[in-house]
Amino acid sequence: MIRVQTDDFDVAQILAGMRQNNPKVGAMVCFVGLVRDMNDSAEVTSLTLEHYPEMTEKSLHGIVSQAKQRWDILDAAVIHRVGTLQPTDQIVLVAITSAHRQAAFSACEFVMDYLKTQAPFWKKETNSQGARWVEAKASDDEAQVRWTQ
Amino acid sequence: MQIKVLYFARIKEAVNYSSEDVVLPEEVETITALKHWLSKRGEVWANLFNGQLVVRAAINHNLVDDLAVIEDGDEVAFFPPVTGG
């Protein structure tokens, strides 16, 4: 399941759906990214996510299919929110099911590392001083590159 | 050749619109050449596309490098390094 949406999501409901009627699932790994009140700017009051609609889902499907080729996983869910969010809001969910934990741990990290460096989303932070685009981080590029070495 | 060009995030804000249809001269065949051609439109464009800023590109919704070849009817997008997740 891959979704790009403005609405919030219910992690428990998504995880329940992924294991329901599926006794082959022995492991589930789930990552949830949240809006913090401090990032490039201090005292962030809101975060607005822009994306490239025609490309976003295609990009996420491509990342998930690479993960499926690399690890023996059963299913993957990626949900990414767009629009304006507040600190403590959920931004992104990546959930992976597999028979054994190692494939799910690795695939979850892989999907997040690729999502952060390849999927066309851009964050703009607002605080009392104004709004600014979030800068990409070299550490995110390094996290992605290690999967290619 | 005619293509569609899209701009996102701070690039969209700088050029002040999100998309345009562009007729390219014959010699503009790659992303590098298109960036160079756009940079000649004026100061705002030069600042974006003269190579000092990192500007990523996609052709038909696939990330590409600057050597990628553009074909008639393509949708080319320019954007800053992504910051989702």
Side-chain angles (χ1 to χ4, degrees):
Chain A
M1 173 181 59
I2 287 173
R3 283 199 226 137
V4 178
Q5 61 188 44
T6 52
D7 292 344
D8 198 9
F9 49 83
D10 181 338
V11 177
Q13 190 180 39
I14 292 154
L15 296 185
M18 290 175 82
R19 66 185 168 85
Q20 201 169 34
N21 303 322
N22 198 345
K24 290 189 170 56
V25 174
M28 303 180 85
V29 171
C30 171
F31 172 84
V32 179
L34 308 172
V35 182
R36 294 184 304 155
D37 68 355
M38 200 199 105
N39 193 38
D40 288 358
S41 317
E43 293 171 28
V44 172
T45 52
S46 70
L47 183 73
T48 300
L49 275 137
E50 178 179 331
H51 75 130
Y52 180 1
E54 295 81 0
M55 181 173 167
T56 318
E57 289 198 20
K58 183 175 175 180
S59 164
L60 297 175
H61 276 288
I63 293 166
V64 165
S65 82
Q66 284 184 66
K68 284 182 172 167
Q69 282 169 24
R70 245 175 121 141
W71 292 279
D72 196 6
I73 60 176
L74 294 165
D75 196 10
V78 180
I79 301 178
H80 203 299
R81 294 176 71 191
V82 292
T84 299
L85 306 174
Q86 270 75 44
T88 76
D89 280 352
Q90 303 185 117
I91 306 175
V92 60
L93 167 130
V94 174
I96 309 281
T97 57
S98 60
H100 303 286
R101 72 184 182 282
Q102 199 53 56
F105 274 127
S106 297
C108 188
E109 239 187 320
F110 173 94
V111 170
M112 268 314 296
D113 288 344
Y114 273 68
L115 182 156
K116 287 199 79 99
T117 52
Q118 302 199 344
F121 294 97
W122 302 276
K123 288 183 185 134
K124 193 177 199 180
E125 292 176 348
T126 302
N127 68 7
S128 56
Q129 311 296 308
R132 58 184 275 182
W133 291 100
V134 172
E135 298 294 338
K137 293 181 184 67
S139 57
D140 287 333
D141 288 331
E142 287 154 15
Q144 185 252 314
V145 165
R146 77 197 155 109
W147 296 108
T148 66
Q149 286 159 351
Chain B
M1 120 173 118
Q2 183 166 344
I3 61 165
K4 186 173 186 186
V5 186
L6 275 61
Y7 307 98
F8 290 94
R10 76 177 80 202
I11 297 173
K12 176 177 74 181
E13 286 183 355
V15 305
N16 218 13
Y17 48 85
S18 57
S19 76
E20 60 177 323
D21 292 316
V22 177
V23 178
L24 295 179
E26 254 178 48
E27 68 272 17
V28 180
E29 291 178 323
T30 62
I31 294 293
T32 303
L34 177 56
K35 284 181 172 178
H36 180 68
W37 187 74
L38 289 170
S39 74
K40 292 190 282 190
R41 283 177 163 181
E43 198 186 339
V44 166
W45 296 86
N47 289 339
L48 291 171
F49 291 108
N50 69 2
Q52 294 194 27
L53 266 187
V54 180
V55 177
R56 297 267 154 82
I59 298 179
N60 301 329
H61 315 126
N62 294 309
L63 274 180
V64 295
D65 64 35
D66 281 7
L67 299 176
V69 173
I70 303 164
E71 287 176 24
D72 188 43
D74 278 351
E75 179 174 301
V76 176
F78 288 116
F79 42 79
V82 301
T83 55

